[in-house]
Amino acid sequence: MAQWTSAVGAAQLARLLNSQQDRPAGPGTRRPPAYRALADGIRLLVLEGRVPVAARLPAERELALALSVSRTTVAAAYEALRAEGFLESRRGAGSWTAVPAGNPLPARGLEPLPPEALGSVIDLGCAALPAPEPWLTRAVQGALEELPPYAHTHGDYPAGLPVLRSMIAERYTARGIPTMPEQIMVTTGAMGAIDAICHLFGGRGERIAVESPSYANILQLMREAGARLVPVAMAEGLGGWDLDRWRQVLRDAAPRIAYVVADFHNPTGALADDDQRRQLVDAARSAGTVLVADETMSELWLDDDVEMPRPVCGFDPAGSTVITVGSASKAFWAGMRIGWVRAAPDVIRSLVAARAYADLGTPVLEQLAVNWLFSTGGWAQAVDLRRAQARENREALVTAVRRELPEWEFEVPRGGLTLWVRAGGLSGSRLAEAGERVGVRVPSGPRFGVDGAFEGYVRLPFTVGGAVADEAAARLAAAARLVEAGASGGNGEAPRTFVA
């Protein structure tokens, strides 16, 4: 019986391999043989999670044809991968990817580093900060005081607690977007909200237009839901959206859904202006596309003179085009798994009805805690604390990276939690792997793209400051030196082991 659970086509694997860009070899650096370079490329794709474990690889002849190399080269590469534990084969069943014994399974998203590893590894993978105390403790204490009446009920509120739905609606109304409680559904984080939206509007095989780059975990969620992702390139630097490209994609591809982050985009940090928002809403309406606006970063402006544009849903007065997703996880604390959807009442009813077959509802205590924060002014004070912490971390990280890695290129965003960095011609995938060796965990650019895009980038979050930011930059510089040297004594070969 075959041991593989999915398959990777020859053309797809060739695209992923061709996206891996290396810095040109310097004087005296020996390039690895073609079979070795191919084996290293496949191994990196497995370690990055871009080719799943237990995925059947193409037959040798098929891959050789797709890559325009000899079948002997592919056969030697497969044999090297088998010897290293990254490939298993069985006559009649083909060959499928694996990981050697003792190695952790690669993550396909950006999951947090286990707490027990934090002492030895600097985690730049998760764009989340510690809780802004004392507000977390006060919010939970306030929630406990409000809990007794709810404890006498069944505790299932598929649309969310009425008191929290009303409070969220009032907050939108205060921002100039009249909203009724019937337009709000409380979810288990923003991921829960987008998952529900994708299942309602984006069935298997449906096209979903996404910014390129975009948030890695959302891209993976959509892939696993069976969506066909249509990337739309962002404008250069912090320019926001390229509206000509968006209009072309919406017209030609006719995606059912488009997912965008208008407020301090993850990962680039771009902030779309009012005119861009208006034009994109108009284009989506004309194409019949549902525009999902993720505003989880909307309160994280870090410069005092930033003037926040009108919410994306403010350009959709009829409520027929835009669905808005919000969350407490970025602005407050990732452990507070409360998100929400704002949409037309009929959309909310459909989402609530579908939820009966998913998670039934969001934890009551956490909803009460967020409602306490909103109703007492604690939210505003906690977010002020969060902004101050992120601002200090941003300054420390930018200073350290510019000092240690002056050839790396980036623009400093005016808000959000992430820095999108062009890594001086180095492979982001190889930097991520080398980083594991020297004790810094960093996500590579391809996690934020489609089909291997952004190999030359890494994302750095504003989650460390002070001496830790200095040490993180020093370790990144050490990882860069390993990549430049081939991480094997200068013989041009990439690292062959994965050390967590």
Side-chain angles (χ1 to χ4, degrees):
M1 179 179 178
Q3 301 299 306
W4 50 273
T5 56
S6 62
V8 180
Q12 179 187 5
L13 184 55
R15 284 197 305 273
L16 291 170
L17 289 166
N18 288 333
S19 74
Q20 296 175 333
Q21 300 297 323
D22 287 328
R23 177 185 290 248
T29 300
R30 181 171 61 84
R31 301 293 293 181
Y35 84 89
R36 183 68 259 174
L38 176 55
D40 287 342
I42 294 174
R43 176 177 49 76
L44 276 172
L45 292 173
V46 173
L47 293 177
E48 275 280 289
R50 288 186 283 147
V51 169
V53 175
R56 186 179 186 274
L57 295 186
E60 294 170 1
R61 189 185 302 276
E62 294 174 357
L63 185 57
L65 186 62
L67 293 173
S68 298
V69 300
S70 71
R71 182 177 177 181
T72 301
T73 296
V74 177
Y78 279 14
E79 182 57 37
L81 290 168
R82 278 190 287 268
E84 295 164 5
F86 286 95
L87 197 67
E88 296 182 8
S89 302
R90 180 176 298 168
R91 184 177 296 276
S95 299
W96 56 92
T97 56
V99 292
N103 283 256
L105 287 174
R108 303 199 70 191
L110 301 180
E111 84 297 343
L113 193 69
E116 61 270 17
L118 291 176
S120 59
V121 179
I122 298 176
D123 186 10
L124 297 181
C126 186
L129 291 162
E133 289 287 28
W135 297 107
L136 174 62
T137 298
R138 291 181 182 178
V140 173
Q141 291 171 341
L144 287 171
E145 293 176 1
E146 299 293 331
L147 182 62
Y150 295 94
H152 294 293
T153 74
H154 49 63
D156 287 336
Y157 296 87
L161 294 182
V163 64
L164 181 56
R165 296 176 72 196
S166 295
M167 181 60 67
I168 294 171
E170 289 175 14
R171 286 171 57 83
Y172 277 106
T173 300
R175 294 168 66 189
I177 315 296
T179 303
M180 304 179 294
E182 292 79 9
Q183 292 177 260
I184 302 296
M185 181 177 82
V186 180
T187 63
T188 306
M191 291 287 287
I194 293 171
D195 182 58
I197 293 166
C198 287
H199 280 88
L200 181 63
F201 289 99
R204 185 165 293 276
E206 288 280 5
R207 294 186 181 92
I208 300 181
V210 295
E211 297 151 326
S212 182
S214 187
Y215 179 39
N217 286 340
I218 294 297
L219 294 180
Q220 191 57 37
L221 181 155
M222 292 174 175
R223 289 187 189 102
E224 294 183 357
R228 298 165 60 189
L229 300 184
V230 183
V232 186
M234 297 284 287
E236 286 297 316
L238 299 177
W241 298 321
D242 185 326
L243 270 303
D244 288 338
R245 289 177 177 172
W246 268 106
R247 279 188 283 266
Q248 180 180 357
V249 167
L250 293 175
R251 180 181 63 248
D252 296 345
R256 185 70 180 92
I257 302 173
Y259 168 76
V260 296
V261 184
D263 304 299
F264 308 117
H265 175 260
N266 187 353
T268 68
L271 177 65
D273 61 29
D274 280 322
D275 189 53
Q276 287 177 320
R277 296 171 191 231
R278 180 183 296 105
Q279 290 188 54
L280 185 56
V281 171
D282 289 346
R285 184 183 299 115
S286 297
T289 297
V290 175
L291 187 62
V292 180
D294 183 337
E295 58 174 29
T296 54
M297 297 281 192
S298 64
E299 296 189 65
L300 289 177
W301 63 87
L302 303 183
D303 295 337
D304 292 335
D305 60 344
V306 172
E307 293 187 13
M308 290 301 296
R310 187 172 174 80
V312 176
C313 59
F315 299 98
D316 180 36
S320 59
T321 300
V322 178
I323 297 177
T324 303
V325 172
S327 172
S329 297
K330 294 298 185 184
F332 186 74
W333 184 47
M336 188 67 77
R337 304 304 304 158
I338 299 295
W340 52 85
V341 178
R342 181 199 180 276
D346 62 317
V347 172
I348 294 297
R349 286 193 294 270
S350 296
L351 289 171
V352 172
R355 194 174 193 180
Y357 307 101
D359 64 356
L360 294 178
T362 303
V364 170
L365 188 64
E366 292 185 26
Q367 291 187 71
L368 290 173
V370 171
N371 188 67
W372 184 92
L373 288 165
F374 285 157
S375 61
T376 62
W379 177 268
Q381 296 184 65
V383 173
D384 281 344
L385 183 62
R386 168 68 74 240
R387 290 193 198 105
Q389 186 178 13
R391 189 181 303 117
E392 290 179 6
N393 288 354
R394 179 187 63 175
E395 181 178 354
L397 187 65
V398 166
T399 300
V401 172
R402 282 178 171 164
R403 180 182 63 248
E404 299 287 344
L405 293 151
E407 69 278 13
W408 287 19
E409 303 171 38
F410 55 85
E411 292 189 40
V412 181
R414 308 193 69 192
L417 290 172
T418 58
L419 199 66
W420 185 237
V421 180
R422 191 193 303 269
L426 298 179
S427 160
S429 297
R430 285 173 166 78
L431 279 169
E433 186 181 13
E436 298 281 355
R437 289 171 166 261
V438 298
V440 60
R441 182 171 180 264
V442 57
S444 66
R447 288 179 178 253
F448 303 88
V450 177
D451 280 343
F454 307 109
E455 183 61 55
Y457 288 79
V458 292
R459 189 195 73 171
L460 305 180
F462 310 142
T463 53
V464 296
V468 180
D470 291 338
E471 179 63 21
R475 295 185 186 186
L476 285 172
R481 289 191 294 271
L482 284 176
V483 174
E484 288 178 314
S488 60
N491 69 354
E493 294 188 16
R496 298 194 186 183
T497 59
F498 181 74
V499 182

